[in-house]
Each structure stands twice: as structure tokens, then as C-alpha cells.
Amino acid sequence: MSSVNETIANYIAAWNETDSARRRSIIERTWSADGSYLDAHREGQGHAAIDAMIAAAQQRIPGYRFRLCSGIEAHHDRVRFSWSAGGTETAPSFFRGTDFATFAEDGRFHTLTGFTDAAPATA
Amino acid sequence: MSSVNETIANYIAAWNETDSARRRSIIERTWSADGSYLDAHREGQGHAAIDAMIAAAQQRIPGYRFRLCSGIEAHHDRVRFSWSAGGTETAPSFFRGTDFATFAEDGRFHTLTGFTDAAPATA
């Protein structure tokens, strides 16, 4: 059983982990087996598809680190939180998004939906 | 078939409509028959339960008007938008929330999850 905070920390870590075996292991701790991710530009259902999706995003913006940039607001089996990436000398474009998720009974994500709060004009 | 904008306009209207027959009619245009609402403090599934939930909220803060206070961001069958209420001479407490919804195929809400952005300390 994962806590809300652990699952979200794992989620952020998955986006930052470029070692494929470690990333896949983190993803398995983050989403249930039938878990899904969906935003305006990418989607994945199941661990393998989510892993491939994150790997592709990492190759598109190498060197970007994701971090939690809001409180974690949870009620019932739902949660909202925001993340940001970039805005640094080596990763100048600034990205920010807000994710809404539903939890499976074991505390891993069942569904996660991403919305964009900030993205560079060239993204 | 309702558009995203129509469904959200109906949703805001439902919270403001205190005539019970008109409110119920708006709710039927806003949610599918098995549609649901869930936030930290209240919930309803199906038109009758959602109607009773909104009626109870209206009695708790009479005179408050809800308005959309953000853009409407939709992708796939999901949407995010924010609303506010109060902050006026006759309705001094200021409330703001962000709602995340999934759509049924006919464009009405299937699930709606509310999160609080601002509420008075006494709420």
C-alpha cells in the first residue's frame, strides 16, 4: 500500500529516471497494472506503454528535471498537484502542468490526466 | 449532443438556479443519467442526488452567484476549468475552485471532481 505522497514522489522520480530498468521499476510502483496516463499530446496504458511514453519525452527534452511545485490536494480517491521543469541555465524552457489522478485501492495511480499550465511557444 | 462550452455554461447555471424545476432541468442537460459530482465535502450520483446536493449548498450560502473564472481546457474526453463565487458587498466570502470532469459520449459530464482553490476560514 503506497501513500498519496509516496505515489506522487515516485511519479516525479519516474519522469527523471533515465536508466530504463530503474525507470520501469519506479513506474510499476507508481501505476496499477492497468493504469493510464493521458494529456493533450501523449498517452499510455499499462506499465510498458507508460515507460515508452516517458522515455520518448526524455529524449525530446534531455536534461530537464521535473519537480513538484504545489501542495498535494487529495480527497476520496482523487488528487491534484502541479509540477514544473526547466527554467534553468542548462534547461531554459519552462514547463508547468497540473495533473489530476484517481487512485487504485493499493494507492497506486489508476488514471492520471495532465493539463498544461505553461509551455514555451516553441514546444 | 452538447458542446464542451455549453455543458460548462449549464453547469455554472445549475449552481445559480434556485427554482427547483428549472434547476433539475439544467442538471439533466449537464450530467448523463449516471453522472456524478465529488468534492471534499459533498457528493451526488444521478440527477436527483446532484439536484439535492446543489439545493443544500444554495441554502447554506444564499445569494452567492457562481461564475466561470478561467479558460476552458479540454483534451480527449477530459476538461479543466475554474469558477469563483462571492467577493461582493452582498456575498462577501470569496470562494474559488477548479473542477476536473470527464465527458460521456453525448457531451454531458460523466464524472466531475471539485478541488478548492480559495475558501474563507469560516467556511
Side-chain angles (χ1 to χ4, degrees):
Chain A
M1 185 72 196
S2 300
S3 74
V4 170
N5 287 357
E6 285 169 348
T7 297
I8 291 169
N10 284 334
Y11 172 75
I12 299 291
W15 283 96
N16 289 330
E17 181 56 69
T18 54
D19 178 272
S20 58
R22 285 199 295 263
R23 187 180 57 237
R24 175 61 182 259
S25 173
I26 297 170
I27 286 168
E28 290 173 0
R29 294 199 298 277
T30 304
W31 275 274
S32 59
D34 65 342
S36 61
Y37 177 97
L38 182 67
D39 70 22
H41 304 294
R42 56 191 68 81
E43 60 184 292
Q45 178 157 21
H47 296 152
I50 293 170
D51 186 40
M53 178 195 81
I54 292 177
Q58 288 172 343
Q59 292 189 331
R60 187 157 175 265
I61 51 168
Y64 280 74
R65 301 281 301 173
F66 289 79
R67 62 247 178 197
L68 188 66
C69 71
S70 74
I72 293 170
E73 298 160 279
H75 66 76
H76 303 88
D77 62 344
R78 325 257 168 121
V79 67
R80 169 177 74 157
F81 60 93
S82 299
W83 56 266
S84 65
T88 65
E89 191 173 17
T90 55
S93 294
F94 181 73
F95 299 89
R96 180 187 151 104
T98 296
D99 290 345
F100 292 86
T102 60
F103 290 102
E105 288 190 0
D106 64 7
R108 293 182 293 176
F109 289 144
H110 182 224
T111 67
L112 189 145
T113 304
F115 288 92
T116 301
D117 295 324
T122 56
Chain B
M1 186 73 196
S2 299
S3 74
V4 170
N5 288 356
E6 286 170 348
T7 297
I8 292 169
N10 284 333
Y11 172 75
I12 298 290
W15 283 96
N16 289 329
E17 181 56 68
T18 55
D19 178 273
S20 58
R22 285 199 296 263
R23 187 181 57 236
R24 175 62 182 259
S25 173
I26 297 169
I27 286 168
E28 291 173 0
R29 294 199 298 279
T30 304
W31 275 274
S32 59
D34 64 344
S36 61
Y37 177 98
L38 182 67
D39 71 21
H41 304 294
R42 56 190 70 79
E43 62 184 294
Q45 178 157 21
H47 297 153
I50 293 169
D51 187 41
M53 178 196 80
I54 292 177
Q58 288 172 343
Q59 292 187 333
R60 186 155 174 266
I61 51 168
Y64 280 75
R65 302 282 298 172
F66 289 80
R67 63 251 177 193
L68 189 65
C69 71
S70 75
I72 293 170
E73 298 159 279
H75 67 76
H76 303 86
D77 61 344
R78 325 253 168 124
V79 69
R80 170 177 75 156
F81 60 93
S82 298
W83 56 266
S84 65
T88 66
E89 192 173 17
T90 55
S93 294
F94 182 72
F95 299 89
R96 180 188 151 104
T98 296
D99 289 346
F100 165 74
T102 61
F103 291 103
E105 289 191 359
D106 64 7
R108 292 182 293 176
F109 289 144
H110 182 225
T111 66
L112 190 145
T113 304
F115 289 92
T116 301
D117 296 323
T122 54

